[in-house]
Amino acid sequence: GSWMVLEPWITPSMFYQFLGGDETNTAMDMYSFCEILGPEEGNKQLRRHWETWVTEELIEELAQSGAVNSLRLPVGDWMYKPYGPYIGCTDGALDYVDDLLDWAHARGLSVLFDIHGVKGSQNGFDNSGQSQDFEWTSALNTEPAGLVTFQHWGIRSAAWMGEFDRETIEYTSTNYENIEHALETIQEIVNMYKGHPAVLGLEPVNEPWQYTPLDELKQYYWEGYLIVKKDAPYWKYIMHDSFRFDVETWGGFMAGCPDRALDTHIYQAWQDPASRISFYNNACGQKSAIAKMEAAFGPVIVGEWSLATDNCAMWLNGFNDNLSGFPRLPCKFVKCADPYMGTEQPGTPVDPGKPMQGPYGTGMSGPSFGLCPVDRDWMKERNIETGTDWMRAPPEAPRHLDATDEVMTALARKKISAFSGIGHGFYFWNFRTELDTPQWSYMLALERGWISKGNLNDDRILHACHKEDEGLFVCMSTRQTESSTKGGMKYALGVEGVNSTYVDSLSGDALFDAADIVFSKFWEEHKGEGAT
């Protein structure tokens, strides 16, 4: 990730140069990076980045880890059919892709091409190449004067498939030109790489957002599949679920077609803070949803997952921005990393004498006095079953109270057990990060010992979800306040369509005992959907 399709949170050194900027000179994604810098300077910086972010030595290290057998390579459609500011800016990118394929093949690794960005943006995220929609709001600021601000999340859109109406939450037109451009990109990729032995297959588009018209998306998947199978019959064809991982949507789709699979992305970083037990149960509970989809559709892969349990990683939700209400807890700050491509990169290293700089989004995230926000530490708990001490503690744990290694190791084993035990494989996101965030970096997680080197058929992984699988956990009332217990019971009963009027008549032990039964039943039935 962030090699051919830049993502500011993964490689922030490419974007530090835009801190303190305004409407005329700020870039926040791949599109605006090329637009602001222009083809000559943009290409100069990108070539320096391509040379250093992915190297043969790093691919060798991944291969030597013993567990990696495949690489997922995000690419942009502009690399194969350039348009707009990409023209000239991304020249030479395909030469580096050729190198990667050769490095992978020499080490027995396969490569899955993933069209991560398409013309018009399929989701409005910066990971599509272009954040949409986007609006500068500086003119509205009177106090303090001169503040440069913008908004994105509240007005996000995606124009790949057509024109989206935010009021009706539906598309009012279909952009067949954009769709055809993406299909032509698939054909270009097939033409270029159909003979390369390292290629595993193709993902025709990454993360089309949940409002994408399903009929048009499925038609696009069909047409892309036919292009691939015509000229590269042995390639796998991996389709993202469009954030709609349910059997009603995908069950039976393309039934009988060989070599197709469904990709779902499973993260805990956007969940509310909870105990370690809740995160463990949620991880193991994914088995149920994957198993149902395997039965209704066929092969499922988890195309992205991480070990993050909070939203603290700098710029995770966009350059100098954040989702409303995130992060849920205070974040730990560490020294911002030195630029991986060398100090000739403009804007690096981060100025340790400056506070957080603009432009400012609707949320806050960014370097301050040379420090960058990263994921919180986990704390040793007085009671692991309830496990809320870490939420109230400072974000950086004292060494003698730090339980991060313990929690992350257990969580990694449970996730790998769930994803590999039922599904058809997984890709960790990402292979590395510039900041010290092993929750998001496979290579750093290996260094910390959170993910095992060597064969993943370790008994500690295979049986990591034993307690959860055997139903040895129950969900109980905290027995602290009757009002919150009654509210929880009414919610759970309401979801199940059960009359809850009797709850108001309960009190004391009778209330809490009844709540234990309701909560456990609800959790058992819905833990696969994320109930905690």
Side-chain angles (χ1 to χ4, degrees), residues 1-2 4-10 28-31 72 74-76 78 86 114-118 121-132 152-153 156 205-209 240 243 265 267 270 304 315-319 429:
S2 201
M4 292 295 146
V5 183
L6 295 178
E7 296 189 36
W9 75 274
I10 298 176
M28 302 183 177
D29 49 38
M30 188 84 180
Y31 188 96
R72 181 168 174 260
V75 296
W78 54 83
Y86 297 120
D114 157 41
I115 302 180
H116 222 66
V118 293
S121 178
Q122 72 275 20
N123 54 32
F125 299 150
D126 57 11
N127 67 22
S128 71
Q130 188 174 12
S131 302
Q132 289 193 346
H152 164 58
W153 287 108
R156 180 170 65 104
V205 65
N206 174 67
E207 294 188 341
W209 74 334
H240 188 264
F243 301 104
H265 298 172
Y267 288 117
W270 285 268
E304 291 184 17
W315 297 346
L316 181 62
N317 294 315
F319 173 84
W429 188 261

Side-chain angles (χ1 to χ4, degrees), residues 159-219:
W160 171 50
M161 278 277 180
E163 187 174 345
F164 181 72
D165 187 326
R166 287 196 297 271
E167 293 186 3
T168 61
I169 315 297
E170 61 184 20
Y171 280 81
T172 58
S173 65
T174 302
N175 192 321
Y176 294 104
E177 181 180 341
N178 282 355
I179 297 171
E180 184 61 29
H181 187 274
L183 291 170
E184 290 172 358
T185 300
I186 293 175
Q187 185 67 68
E188 287 292 325
I189 291 174
V190 170
N191 291 344
M192 286 187 180
Y193 308 115
K194 61 185 177 184
H196 202 293
V199 180
L200 174 68
L202 175 77
E203 186 158 5
V205 65
N206 174 67
E207 294 188 341
W209 74 334
Q210 63 270 36
Y211 301 120
T212 305
L214 269 176
D215 288 344
E216 284 80 359
L217 180 61
K218 288 183 175 181
Q219 181 65 28

Side-chain angles (χ1 to χ4, degrees), residues 29 56 95 111 125 128 157 174 183 203 243-244 298 329 332 344 367 376 378 493 498 507 521:
D29 49 38
E56 188 170 12
D95 295 333
V111 176
F125 299 150
S128 71
S157 185
T174 302
L183 291 170
E203 186 158 5
F243 301 104
R244 289 173 277 196
L329 294 171
K332 183 170 75 170
E344 64 271 27
R376 293 171 56 88
W378 281 83
L493 293 168
V498 177
S507 62
K521 182 180 179 182

Side-chain angles (χ1 to χ4, degrees), residues 219-233:
Q219 181 65 28
Y220 170 73
Y221 282 163
W222 263 117
E223 293 182 24
Y225 178 82
L226 295 175
I227 291 171
V228 169
K229 284 303 172 184
K230 178 178 179 292
D231 295 318

Side-chain angles (χ1 to χ4, degrees), residues 10 27 29 35 63 77 123 158 206 279-280 298-299 322 342 355 374 461 490:
I10 298 176
D29 49 38
E35 186 176 45
D77 64 355
N123 54 32
N206 174 67
F279 282 108
Y280 295 164
N322 227 321
V374 296
I461 293 175
K490 291 177 180 179

Side-chain angles (χ1 to χ4, degrees), residues 65 90 198 358:
S65 73
T90 57

